[in-house]
Amino acid sequence: MLLRNRHGEESRREMHSKVLEVENDGDKTLIVFDSPRDVKGTALLSFTHKDRPDDQWLYLPALKRVKRIASRNKSGPFMGSEFAYEDIGSQEVEKYTYRYLRDETLDDLPMFVIERYPVDRYSGYRRQVAWIDQQEYRPFRVDYYDRKDQLLKTLTYKGYQQYLGQYWRPREMFMQNHQTGKSTLLSWTEYRFRGGLEARDFTRNALKRAR
């Protein structure tokens, strides 16, 4: 995670994450920070849901306590980044209502451009405009509009690769905040699949033990 402020000053953080797909519901995700020292051991546990607000807990090692992220606070920044808590976790279809806008070419690929409106009344966004490639249905760009319907952020995805013949994952996710001039770059490496994870690896106790 590379954080950059409006003056171009940068700070870097390293983390690892685990994801468990859940049948008939959203994913379970555990993100653990490895460095630098001031955030090492901080961990976020997310239970994404299709038909109700997500459950999220943040473990703060300095306080040795787990803090639940309230639904109305999920529009806040995740660990000082330009990603909000509500951006973390799987983007389930049921979380939005949709409107088709147009077909367009982006990165030399034909795209569907759609508008989506969050169902959650506590979302920090009025709407989002997403560019989805027409062949594999991968997101390549998302524009986020705040509650006043002003352009707030743009997320772009780069370097998609396919794993095990079916899983598409990006190498980079870049979030630019147009209102503050800040940005966050997530660079992903060492994707692994079918790792034998179970539900017990994604509990509040597991959150405290995360390393």
Side-chain angles (χ1 to χ4, degrees), residues 7-152:
H7 305 294
E9 299 168 333
E10 297 180 348
S11 59
R12 185 182 303 270
R13 295 172 177 173
E14 293 189 1
M15 58 192 183
H16 64 274
S17 65
K18 301 176 181 179
V19 180
L20 179 68
E21 293 185 357
V22 179
E23 189 173 0
N24 298 321
D25 202 1
D27 297 348
K28 298 180 186 296
T29 305
L30 178 61
I31 300 173
V32 183
F33 284 84
D34 302 314
S35 69
R37 182 178 300 177
D38 62 338
V39 297
K40 183 177 181 179
T42 301
L44 177 71
L45 178 64
S46 298
F47 290 0
T48 308
H49 302 297
K50 291 183 175 183
D51 55 0
R52 63 185 190 277
D54 297 346
D55 294 308
Q56 291 181 307
W57 300 268
L58 185 68
Y59 175 63
L60 303 170
L63 302 177
K64 296 183 179 180
R65 64 183 288 257
V66 174
K67 173 185 177 183
R68 185 181 179 91
I69 307 299
S71 295
R72 64 184 63 217
N73 294 332
K74 290 176 183 174
S75 61
F78 169 55
M79 295 296 290
S81 75
E82 298 313 303
F83 289 83
Y85 282 97
E86 66 180 294
D87 302 332
I88 306 298
S90 56
Q91 301 294 301
E92 303 298 326
V93 172
E94 293 84 356
K95 287 182 169 295
Y96 305 94
T97 59
Y98 300 85
R99 184 165 73 98
Y100 167 80
L101 297 180
R102 61 187 181 273
D103 288 359
E104 191 171 290
T105 299
L106 180 67
D107 294 343
D108 297 322
L109 293 172
M111 301 276 169
F112 296 117
V113 184
I114 62 170
E115 203 165 46
R116 59 191 190 189
Y117 302 87
V119 173
D120 186 353
R121 62 174 177 156
Y122 293 121
S123 173
Y125 308 120
R126 171 86 175 267
R127 61 188 174 101
Q128 302 170 16
V129 178
W131 281 254
I132 311 295
D133 88 272
Q134 296 183 8
Q135 183 171 355
E136 300 292 346
Y137 299 103
R138 300 165 298 184
F140 274 71
R141 170 177 166 175
V142 182
D143 287 347
Y144 297 84
Y145 291 80
D146 63 19
R147 299 297 295 178
K148 297 180 180 179
D149 206 28
Q150 300 297 310
L151 180 61
L152 174 62

